[in-house]
Amino acid sequence: FIILTIITGIVLRSYLLKKYYFENALRQSEEKYRSYIDNSPTAIFILNQVGKYVEINASALQLTGYSKDEIFKFTLNDLLIENTNEIFTELLDKGKLSVETRLKSKSGKLIHVKFDAVKLPDNHNYLVYCTDITELNNALIGLKHANLYKSEFIRNMSHEIRTPLTGILGFNSLLLEDKNLHPEQRHKLEFINKSGKRLMNLLIDILVLSQIESGKMSIKKSKFSLVKLCSELKELYELQLKRKNIEINFELNGIDS
């Protein structure tokens, strides 16, 4: 009996020691990960299966402006102001979610946030990361407005340049109608006419590009003469190239037009 008592005591002591070490290791692990959450710069919430807040870190308190006691009385609907039912339903159905929405702080300020949530594997709770993207959202809005202003500027600039250019091309056409022109004079006027038309087409292309960027126009493919294009390019830059003693030649093997 005494021996059995001793053996039982040894086994019980070994069990209690193992239990103590296990619980101590578990507590240290929980404290370590709890420290990670508490010190995270990202706002972190824990929701239960009915959408009630059960845990929150310091960054989330700073983001919302509420205290822990106040937050623990809230559900998802009390902080998010857009599509809350749809958001929580999708989270319940899929077990994870990533969406941009707006959060209302205690001061009444509306904050644009990235809402990322996932179901925790060991219980029915959901881990939520809430990132403030207000500055990013404002920057994107500013960029959109800047693009609109740019497109408007291009339209106005194109119109202001095309108006006098149309006058120049018109008077040049009248001069070309003179039958007494010397061949060299006619050649120079024809060069002015071609260059003016190229400039007009360039302005139109810039305007079209602006419309494409704003999504108001689609690109259409069309056939063109590569030989003619190369010939026009050579003629356009011929004078500048001659001044620099540069010769340009195109070799288009197997291309007829």
Side-chain angles (χ1 to χ4, degrees), residues 28-251:
Q28 289 180 353
S29 177
E30 289 178 346
E31 289 176 353
K32 180 175 69 173
Y33 287 106
R34 180 74 225 184
S35 175
Y36 293 161
I37 292 177
D38 287 341
N39 293 287
S40 171
T42 302
I44 298 176
F45 303 86
I46 304 293
L47 292 172
N48 63 16
Q49 65 258 28
V50 295
K52 187 176 179 62
Y53 297 99
V54 294
E55 287 292 342
I56 185 172
N57 70 348
S59 295
L61 296 176
Q62 184 177 3
L63 178 67
T64 62
Y66 289 102
S67 67
K68 273 192 175 183
D69 292 336
E70 290 173 318
I71 290 288
F72 290 158
K73 296 176 183 178
F74 291 161
T75 63
L76 187 68
N77 294 341
D78 295 310
L79 288 181
L80 301 186
I81 64 170
E82 294 177 340
N83 306 320
T84 52
N85 292 331
E86 291 85 349
I87 289 173
F88 193 60
T89 299
E90 183 176 346
L91 180 58
L92 291 177
D93 291 341
K94 298 182 178 180
K96 60 181 180 179
L97 176 70
S98 181
V99 67
E100 292 183 10
T101 183
R102 289 194 298 172
L103 177 150
K104 188 174 183 179
S105 68
K106 186 175 182 179
S107 65
K109 179 183 177 182
L110 297 181
I111 304 170
H112 290 265
V113 295
K114 179 73 179 303
F115 189 90
D116 296 293
V118 64
K119 186 177 181 180
L120 295 172
D122 55 346
N123 53 41
H124 298 292
N125 292 337
Y126 296 86
L127 177 66
V128 179
Y129 291 90
C130 206
T131 307
D132 185 353
I133 59 170
T134 303
E135 291 187 4
L136 175 61
N137 187 72
N138 291 339
L140 291 175
I141 292 174
L143 181 61
K144 183 178 179 180
H145 289 164
N147 281 332
L148 290 175
Y149 296 146
K150 181 195 71 174
S151 297
E152 184 65 26
F153 169 77
I154 290 175
R155 283 193 293 269
N156 292 335
M157 179 200 69
S158 177
H159 174 74
E160 293 299 326
I161 296 178
R162 280 188 297 169
T163 301
L165 183 58
T166 301
I168 293 172
L169 290 174
F171 279 109
N172 189 75
S173 298
L174 291 176
L175 291 172
L176 283 170
E177 292 177 0
D178 188 352
K179 296 181 180 180
N180 297 320
L181 286 173
H182 188 274
E184 184 178 351
Q185 292 175 322
R186 181 172 296 278
H187 174 73
K188 291 179 178 178
L189 288 173
E190 287 176 349
F191 182 79
I192 292 173
N193 187 59
K194 288 181 180 179
S195 298
K197 287 182 177 180
R198 291 192 188 100
L199 180 56
M200 180 69 78
N201 290 332
L202 178 60
L203 292 171
I204 293 173
D205 289 342
I206 293 173
L207 183 60
V208 169
L209 180 61
S210 174
Q211 292 174 332
I212 292 173
E213 288 180 342
S214 62
K216 296 180 179 179
M217 180 175 290
S218 58
I219 299 176
K220 294 182 179 180
K221 296 181 180 179
S222 61
K223 295 182 178 180
F224 70 97
S225 170
L226 183 58
V227 174
K228 183 179 179 182
L229 175 63
C230 292
S231 177
E232 289 177 351
L233 287 173
K234 183 177 181 180
E235 185 178 356
L236 178 63
Y237 294 103
E238 188 173 14
L239 292 177
Q240 299 177 40
L241 294 172
K242 281 184 177 180
R243 294 192 190 102
K244 298 181 180 180
N245 295 320
I246 298 175
E247 183 179 352
I248 183 171
N249 292 296
F250 295 100
E251 292 185 8

Side-chain angles (χ1 to χ4, degrees), residues 5-43:
T5 302
I6 293 173
I7 293 174
T8 303
I10 292 173
V11 172
L12 181 61
R13 183 175 181 274
S14 176
Y15 168 77
L16 291 175
L17 283 173
K18 288 181 179 179
K19 182 180 179 182
Y20 168 77
Y21 289 132
F22 174 78
E23 290 178 346
N24 187 55
L26 181 61
R27 184 174 62 256
Q28 289 180 353
S29 177
E30 289 178 346
E31 289 176 353
K32 180 175 69 173
Y33 287 106
R34 180 74 225 184
S35 175
Y36 293 161
I37 292 177
D38 287 341
N39 293 287
S40 171
T42 302

